Amino acid sequence: MKNIVINIEKMMKNLPQFLTSCTAFLMLSACAHMPVEHIKNNTQINENDDVLNYVDPFIGTGGHGHTFPGATTPFGMVQLSPDNPSKGWDWTSGYHYSDDTLLGFSHTHLSGTGVGDLLDILVLPFQGDYLEKLNRQDNSIFTKYSKNTPLLYDTYTKENEYAEAGYYKVLMSSSGIQAELTATPRVGVHRYQFDSASNAKLIFNLGYAQNYDEATKTSFTKISDTKLVGYRESTGWAKRQKVYFVAEFSHPFTHQYYENKTEQPGDVHQGVLSEAVLDFGVLSDALVVKVGISYASIDGAQANIVQEVPSFDFDQVKKDTQDVWREQLNIIQVESTDTTKKTKFYTAFYHSMIAPHLYSDALGQYIGADGKRYTAPEKLPRYTLFSLWDTFRTLHPLLTITHPTLVDPMMHSMLSFYDETGLLPTWDLMANETDVMIGYHAVPVLVDAYFKGLTSVAPERILAASKASAMQDKFGINYFKDYGYIPSELEVEAVSKTLEYAFDDWAIARLAKSMDAKADADYFSHRANAYKTLFDAELQFMRGKDKGGHWVEPFNPTYVEHRNTDYTEANAWQYTWFVPHDVDGLIQLFGSKKAFVDKLDTLFSISSEMQGADVSPDISGLIGQYAHGNEPVHHVPYLYALAGESYKGEQKIREIRDTMYTDQPDGLAGNDDVGQMSAWYVMSSLGFYPVNPASGDYVFGIPEFAHMTLDVGGKPLSIRVQGPLDNPVKRILFNGKVLTQHQIHHTTLVTGGDLLFVTED
């Protein structure tokens, strides 16, 4: 630790140099490694109607939304948020709106995932004797879901809890302490007002773990009476995760260390399940705490603080953070008096900017997927948390419109993951491959970015990385290569995997064709047609075949058994439509557009009842057998437009927006899945959607508002509806010209101008 102390002291001596180049958090574009320089825009903000009034971070924290209410920045490394003791699956973010028990505030959170992890570096303010309070409290609330580990806790009421974009506040009932949280990209900032001047204390807990996570090694080192540093190593969903931290305090402290609730002397402490109790004694004013984190080193965590939060001015940090959120949310401006719809919309847009997370620190450093330390190029910070089975469908296409300059560092991050592992990421969690879902969906995201001209990654690298993932011999891909589909008796979820691999292969073929790589183009084009082998023309469903080419019996299109059938978190009704790259070909399999539309009608009108001993909780938000709470069907309402009956799709889109999204804590029909559910609402409110998210085409629906203005690379795109919003669309004009197709290409859309939906004769 000696070298760390020396480096920190050297950095502090150079503080004026840091402050010259980055005098305040708002001046982010001057800071070489700050992510906000990649997301700045020229949007003119409407000062008379503050967009932050329409962001409610509590939406999605109830029901099965799995979001968190705490403070973060767009795509930031830190998510500083309150934690409750877990009571099961709906606490995967560390918090659920139904709860009123407060364990403290940790610095990393997942938004909307179906599996839990992170919740690193827990901080709880309290007053009194730690061990006495711990032994006196009711510890029966700690169950197997929270590792059966008693922790000191407080309580709160919903009336005393408040959240905005970039800010969270709660009054703790037992202690009377008021806690406030804000954040910069890599630093969490706390302010605690104790109800009396004496006996002010904080617990720093590095052993705290819930869900699948478990601490394996922790360390504290006291640098001075106002600075504590350390790290937390853990294993869980991310098998290998190490977070370094530096905590600076506005007032000096004395300390005690505890391991397994046994006091340990000394200034340096290492162990597991370790806590530091910091005693600040008598305080005449509020205690402000700055916690910088890094995934590479304590030096990096210190550099984050020096660069992003040089002072203890909590109010200034909050203001600057909210100014960033205000700017980003105003990329899309809505003209409407309907505050409920505006709250739904802007909260969805907010949630679509939570992830991917910034991963490299202010020194540009991070630990790669191979466990080695790397330094990111100055303009290409590393990002992580790519939930690609979810986000390839809508979130990433949305970012190509709203945050085009952010796309390139994200694409380079995926290619760096490939360089480190030999494969593109499938579900990247803090540079760990979790392999939790199916497909190799980094491919369509990369291909889409390439054809939209938004990445500097060479096409040769994209093709090589895509082929490596598509030609591996795991996850049934070996059978896919051998049989032209995946036989059901050889691989679980065979139908879903066949369909999703076929789509990804279409994206590879598109890239290969553009490069005149004929052999690759022909090979992957052939694989892209694999969906045809699993369509039963008689029953009109995608269904499993054995290796002899026979249909698997018995067959029930409403049967579900979670992760143990031919379908991934779905049934045949939901996966039959997953041919986004060849909708015309799918219609031909049905025999006619009429037969195709009739089947779509039945999807939405049939009973929502499902059979099976283990119906996946992810299959939620049901309209008939359409399940909006999960991703495989998100494109389905737009298939009506491609079959020539767009008005039916418009009706379904309106119904989904009205019933599957509300402005309440349980306002999401299912897990937000790192912003995918929210991104669907944003795109569908704009009036178009990427049915094939690797084609650059957007299929029209119906806008949510009569007038919206979208900033597309510094140019305004006005989206208007002429006529009643609940009428069918009669015609669509772009810059005064009637469009003859029911879709528009990205390159046309981002030129800006006027997109007009006419719903009156």
Side-chain angles (χ1 to χ4, degrees):
M1 299 300 289
K2 180 179 179 182
N3 291 335
I4 294 174
V5 176
I6 293 172
N7 289 340
I8 290 173
E9 291 174 348
K10 181 178 179 181
M11 258 185 276
M12 296 308 292
K13 290 179 181 178
N14 293 330
L15 181 59
Q17 179 180 347
F18 277 91
L19 297 183
T20 299
S21 63
C22 188
T23 57
F25 172 64
L26 188 58
M27 301 172 67
L28 296 173
S29 61
C31 303
H33 297 287
M34 296 293 283
V36 179
E37 80 169 356
H38 297 287
I39 60 176
K40 285 181 71 65
N41 65 86
N42 299 315
T43 301
Q44 297 298 312
I45 296 174
N46 182 359
E47 297 180 355
N48 297 321
D49 189 18
D50 190 349
V51 69
L52 296 191
N53 293 334
Y54 305 106
V55 174
D56 183 355
F58 288 114
I59 294 176
T61 62
H64 303 309
H66 296 188
T67 64
F68 62 85
T72 189
T73 61
F75 311 103
M77 178 183 290
V78 164
Q79 309 82 38
L80 180 55
S81 191
D83 292 327
N84 312 130
S86 178
K87 296 178 178 64
W89 184 61
D90 282 327
W91 277 254
T92 56
S93 74
Y95 176 96
H96 195 266
Y97 190 79
S98 64
D99 216 322
D100 62 359
T101 302
L102 179 68
L103 299 178
F105 311 99
S106 61
H107 290 74
T108 59
H109 290 80
L110 296 171
S111 182
T113 58
V115 182
D117 206 316
L118 304 187
L119 313 180
D120 299 294
I121 311 168
L122 182 73
V123 179
L124 177 72
F126 75 103
Q127 292 174 281
D129 182 85
Y130 168 59
L131 290 178
E132 179 184 342
K133 292 175 74 71
L134 184 68
N135 293 330
R136 193 171 65 238
Q137 71 183 14
D138 177 12
N139 289 315
S140 65
I141 65 171
F142 298 100
T143 68
K144 64 178 181 178
Y145 299 109
S146 49
K147 307 296 183 184
N148 292 303
T149 303
L151 302 172
L152 197 63
Y153 65 84
D154 210 312
T155 58
Y156 60 98
T157 64
K158 295 304 168 186
E159 293 77 12
N160 290 324
E161 188 181 32
Y162 177 79
E164 298 176 344
Y167 176 70
Y168 174 88
K169 178 173 69 174
V170 67
L171 179 65
M172 299 162 61
S173 299
S174 299
S175 63
I177 298 169
Q178 178 176 275
E180 296 174 275
L181 312 175
T182 189
T184 65
R186 303 178 179 94
V187 182
V189 185
H190 314 232
R191 181 164 65 187
Y192 299 117
Q193 185 67 58
F194 294 83
D195 70 338
S196 63
S198 64
N199 209 18
K201 294 181 180 178
L202 294 182
I203 300 173
F204 264 68
N205 190 321
L206 303 186
Y208 161 63
Q210 293 194 156
N211 303 309
Y212 296 90
D213 191 43
E214 181 179 355
T216 56
K217 188 176 182 182
T218 64
S219 173
F220 292 104
T221 299
K222 180 180 178 182
I223 301 299
S224 71
D225 62 1
T226 57
K227 183 181 294 185
L228 185 71
V229 307
Y231 62 81
R232 178 181 190 269
E233 293 183 17
S234 63
T235 187
W237 193 13
K239 297 300 182 186
R240 171 194 47 79
Q241 186 196 359
K242 190 170 185 178
V243 183
Y244 299 87
F245 77 92
V246 172
E248 296 183 354
F249 307 91
S250 60
H251 295 278
F253 65 86
T254 59
H255 66 282
Q256 293 173 305
Y257 292 117
Y258 295 92
E259 180 179 6
N260 295 324
K261 312 301 178 284
T262 302
E263 186 173 351
Q264 302 288 328
D267 284 349
V268 179
H269 178 72
Q270 295 184 344
V272 180
L273 297 175
S274 52
E275 298 167 306
V277 177
L278 311 183
D279 188 343
F280 294 87
V282 178
L283 291 181
S284 59
D285 56 1
L287 173 65
V288 177
V289 184
K290 303 183 293 185
V291 181
I293 67 171
S294 167
Y295 291 101
S297 68
I298 288 176
D299 283 0
Q302 180 67 64
N304 294 341
I305 294 178
V306 172
Q307 179 167 287
E308 298 181 11
V309 193
S311 77
F312 284 98
D313 191 337
F314 181 93
D315 290 328
Q316 186 64 49
V317 175
K318 174 191 171 187
K319 178 185 180 301
D320 294 343
T321 296
Q322 293 197 315
D323 282 347
V324 171
W325 272 117
R326 190 173 285 111
E327 181 188 43
Q328 294 307 299
L329 291 161
N330 271 292
I331 290 172
I332 305 174
Q333 297 188 9
V334 172
E335 295 182 21
S336 175
T337 59
D338 190 328
T339 57
T340 297
K341 285 187 176 181
K342 287 179 73 172
T343 298
K344 286 165 44 174
F345 177 82
Y346 278 114
T347 303
F349 194 23
Y350 164 82
H351 278 139
S352 74
M353 290 186 273
I354 300 296
H357 292 174
L358 180 66
Y359 186 61
S360 52
D361 60 29
L363 302 177
Q365 295 186 343
Y366 61 91
I367 301 299
D370 56 0
K372 299 178 182 177
R373 181 175 281 103
Y374 293 91
T375 300
E378 182 175 321
K379 300 294 183 180
L380 295 170
R382 178 71 173 259
Y383 285 85
T384 186
L385 194 55
F386 291 101
S387 177
L388 289 161
W389 184 79
D390 307 294
T391 57
F392 86 90
R393 306 167 197 268
T394 318
L395 178 63
H396 281 288
L398 175 63
L399 295 181
T400 68
I401 300 170
T402 60
H403 293 82
T405 58
L406 194 62
V407 172
D408 196 32
M410 290 185 180
M411 299 307 102
H412 277 273
S413 296
M414 293 184 191
L415 266 298
S416 294
F417 193 100
Y418 162 71
D419 291 339
E420 295 153 13
T421 66
L423 295 171
L424 289 168
T426 298
W427 216 116
D428 166 22
L429 175 59
M430 307 301 132
N432 285 256
E433 179 54 76
T434 66
D435 285 326
V436 73
M437 298 304 292
I438 68 173
Y440 29 94
H441 295 313
V443 171
V445 176
L446 284 159
V447 169
D448 188 48
Y450 169 72
F451 280 105
K452 289 175 178 175
L454 297 177
T455 183
S456 59
V457 178
E460 291 81 10
R461 285 196 72 207
I462 298 175
L463 182 60
S466 299
K467 288 172 60 179
S469 291
M471 298 302 289
Q472 61 184 305
D473 287 326
K474 297 190 298 183
F475 313 119
I477 298 173
N478 50 329
Y479 305 126
F480 187 50
K481 291 184 290 185
D482 292 341
Y483 291 89
Y485 63 95
I486 300 175
S488 294
E489 74 268 41
L490 301 180
E491 183 78 15
V492 72
E493 302 173 338
V495 173
S496 294
K497 288 177 179 176
T498 299
L499 297 174
E500 298 209 17
Y501 295 160
F503 166 69
D504 291 339
D505 289 345
W506 178 90
I508 299 174
R510 184 185 183 209
L511 178 64
K513 288 175 185 176
S514 74
M515 298 169 61
D516 293 325
K518 188 176 186 305
D520 287 334
D522 290 346
Y523 175 74
F524 287 104
S525 292
H526 176 74
R527 281 182 26 171
N529 283 314
Y531 73 91
K532 297 177 181 178
T533 65
L534 297 186
F535 185 78
D536 183 338
E538 181 179 354
L539 298 181
Q540 295 187 329
F541 284 107
M542 296 288 180
R543 54 182 296 198
K545 280 184 176 178
D546 63 22
K547 60 184 179 182
H550 306 106
W551 297 120
V552 173
E553 299 289 355
F555 174 70
N556 180 349
T558 60
Y559 182 83
V560 176
E561 189 175 344
H562 186 59
R563 307 306 298 266
N564 197 35
T565 68
D566 279 332
Y567 308 95
T568 303
E569 297 180 358
N571 61 27
W573 269 110
Q574 290 134 25
Y575 253 105
T576 290
W577 314 99
F578 191 78
V579 190
H581 57 291
D582 190 11
V583 176
D584 287 343
L586 180 60
I587 291 173
Q588 290 175 16
L589 292 181
F590 276 89
S592 68
K593 287 185 177 180
K594 182 182 184 306
F596 181 79
V597 170
D598 287 347
K599 192 76 169 186
L600 275 175
D601 290 344
T602 306
L603 168 72
F604 285 99
S605 63
I606 195 174
S607 168
S608 296
E609 182 183 354
M610 287 175 282
Q611 292 76 43
D614 185 14
V615 176
S616 172
D618 296 287
I619 306 176
S620 58
L622 290 162
I623 304 174
Q625 287 290 319
Y626 174 87
H628 191 74
N630 213 14
E631 280 64 35
V633 296
H634 276 187
H635 66 295
V636 169
Y638 292 87
L639 297 180
Y640 278 110
L642 297 177
E645 297 200 28
S646 58
Y647 73 96
K648 289 188 175 182
E650 293 160 20
Q651 292 171 349
K652 300 307 178 189
I653 292 164
R654 292 189 191 96
E655 182 179 358
I656 294 165
R657 289 191 309 223
D658 290 344
T659 62
M660 301 298 159
Y661 298 85
T662 76
D663 63 347
Q664 300 302 307
D666 60 352
L668 295 176
N671 307 160
D672 199 37
D673 285 312
V674 199
Q676 166 61 25
M677 282 281 290
S678 292
W680 186 97
Y681 187 86
V682 173
M683 289 288 277
S684 292
S685 294
L686 292 172
F688 46 82
Y689 186 83
V691 170
N692 178 347
S695 69
D697 290 319
Y698 305 113
V699 177
F700 290 122
I702 177 68
E704 178 77 293
F705 303 96
H707 190 195
M708 310 173 73
T709 303
L710 172 61
D711 183 325
V712 286
K715 300 180 290 292
L717 172 67
S718 175
I719 301 171
R720 297 184 295 124
V721 178
Q722 181 178 308
L725 285 167
D726 55 357
N727 274 8
V729 175
K730 303 296 178 59
R731 57 189 179 279
I732 302 172
L733 295 82
F734 185 70
N735 290 334
K737 182 179 179 181
V738 176
L739 300 178
T740 57
Q741 293 185 323
H742 213 81
Q743 56 190 9
I744 191 169
H745 196 268
H746 178 85
T747 53
T748 301
L749 191 77
V750 298
T751 60
D754 185 64
L755 180 61
L756 178 65
F757 294 75
V758 179
T759 64
E760 60 186 8
D761 293 324

